[in-house]
Amino acid sequence: MEKREYQWAWLMVLPVVLVVAFSAIMPLMTVVNYSLQDIFGPNSRFFVGTAWFTEVLRDPALHGALIRQLLFSAAVLLIQIPLGVGLALCLPKKGPWVSVSLVLLALPLLVPWNVVGTIWQVFSRPDVGFAGVILNSIGFDYNYTGDSLDAWLTVLVMDVWHWTSLVILLCYAGLQAIPDAFYQAARIDGASRWAVFRFIELPKLKGVLLIAILLRFIFSFRIYAEPFVLTGGGPGNATTFLSQSLTTMAVGQFDLGPAAAFSLVYFLIILLFSYVFYLTILNMDREG
């Protein structure tokens, strides 16, 4: 009886499997096909094997984009994860201010990515933007359109404003799931606030934090719209990340073969890190 029900369960999910196969696997196979050919037109293409992969892996411009991408993702995680945990601990746990706080925190997440870039483009202008004028008035020579460091930091601060709320909401949900009995036992034992966080809250948040790290890494590693609208990848190539390099190669230069090979390498990098996080979560569940 159980075996028959198990077979019916597979039949129930079969439509979903077919939809996923059509919407994900088929395009992926098309990209794999393009990555192995030199395409001159709809009916003019030649098999080149792994030549495009060799070219992509040896391209200094893409090496630079990868380094900038890794540095940006690392900075995002180092800032947003501790900041998100700290702000989640400061939120009220009960009362009417809970709903107000959660709604306000969710507002940046509702803003479309291209609109975020436009908002910060106006906000950071050194001549009329609020942040740009304030920074220049207190002695900073700030100009994100002409200084590489200013541009990179502006993109980083913009991403922190946009996505830290996601970390806060995830951590807040994890904190709310901790039973009150743990806090009561800590009060009876006279535990300090740091001890409560170190031995009660942080261990209970490990699973949530790993999910937050995974999501923020994936989102930051494929960031495109915000820096493209804000800086266009400049000045120079200071804020040209992997996604923009790929778009330029595929759409701007119409190099479909190298772009397909690069997109597969891009996909495998994200898949590798995601798999590492997945294994970490499994090991934590087994230890728990």
Side-chain angles (χ1 to χ4, degrees), residues 34-283:
Y34 283 1
S35 69
L36 301 175
Q37 301 184 66
D38 192 0
I39 301 173
F40 296 95
N43 299 316
S44 179
R45 59 185 67 191
F46 301 93
F47 181 78
V48 295
T50 60
W52 295 135
F53 289 95
T54 303
E55 178 180 317
V56 165
L57 293 175
R58 293 178 178 177
D59 190 347
L62 297 182
H63 294 169
L66 176 60
I67 292 173
R68 288 189 294 273
Q69 189 75 71
L70 291 173
L71 290 175
F72 178 78
S73 296
V76 163
L77 294 178
L78 289 175
I79 294 174
Q80 294 186 20
I81 299 302
L83 181 61
V85 173
L87 293 177
L89 291 170
C90 296
L91 291 178
K93 293 185 177 181
K94 297 179 181 180
W97 286 107
V98 173
S99 300
V100 175
S101 301
L102 295 180
V103 170
L104 292 176
L105 286 171
L107 289 179
L109 300 175
L110 301 177
V111 182
W113 296 339
N114 58 333
V115 177
V116 170
T118 303
I119 291 173
W120 279 83
Q121 187 181 53
V122 176
F123 182 69
S124 303
R125 285 187 56 174
D127 52 352
V128 296
F130 180 78
V133 171
I134 292 296
L135 289 173
N136 284 306
S137 65
I138 60 177
F140 291 97
D141 186 18
Y142 173 79
N143 183 6
Y144 77 90
T145 61
D147 186 271
S148 299
L149 181 60
D150 290 346
W152 197 87
L153 291 175
T154 303
V155 173
L156 179 61
V157 173
M158 175 180 62
D159 193 83
V160 170
W161 173 83
H162 191 195
W163 288 108
T164 302
S165 295
L166 177 63
V167 181
I168 297 173
L169 294 175
L170 288 172
C171 293
Y172 184 77
L175 290 171
Q176 291 293 89
I178 300 176
D180 291 335
F182 288 90
Y183 295 105
Q184 294 174 1
R187 285 194 294 268
I188 293 173
D189 293 337
S192 63
R193 184 65 188 89
W194 169 250
V196 172
F197 173 74
R198 173 66 180 83
F199 297 105
I200 296 177
E201 293 172 333
L202 186 59
K204 296 295 183 181
L205 285 177
K206 282 184 178 180
V208 173
L209 287 176
L210 282 173
I211 294 174
I213 291 172
L214 177 60
L215 291 176
R216 287 307 304 124
F217 171 78
I218 293 175
F219 291 165
S220 65
F221 207 78
R222 60 183 183 85
I223 187 173
Y224 173 76
E226 297 98 316
F228 178 76
V229 173
L230 178 64
T231 64
N237 56 5
T239 56
T240 301
F241 300 115
L242 288 174
S243 57
Q244 189 168 343
S245 298
L246 175 60
T247 304
T248 302
M249 185 182 298
V251 180
Q253 303 170 357
F254 206 68
D255 291 333
L256 297 183
F262 177 47
S263 65
L264 289 175
V265 174
Y266 194 5
F267 169 72
L268 289 175
I269 292 174
I270 296 178
L271 187 63
L272 175 63
F273 278 95
S274 300
Y275 183 67
V276 170
F277 285 124
Y278 173 72
L279 290 180
T280 305
I281 293 174
L282 286 183
N283 291 332

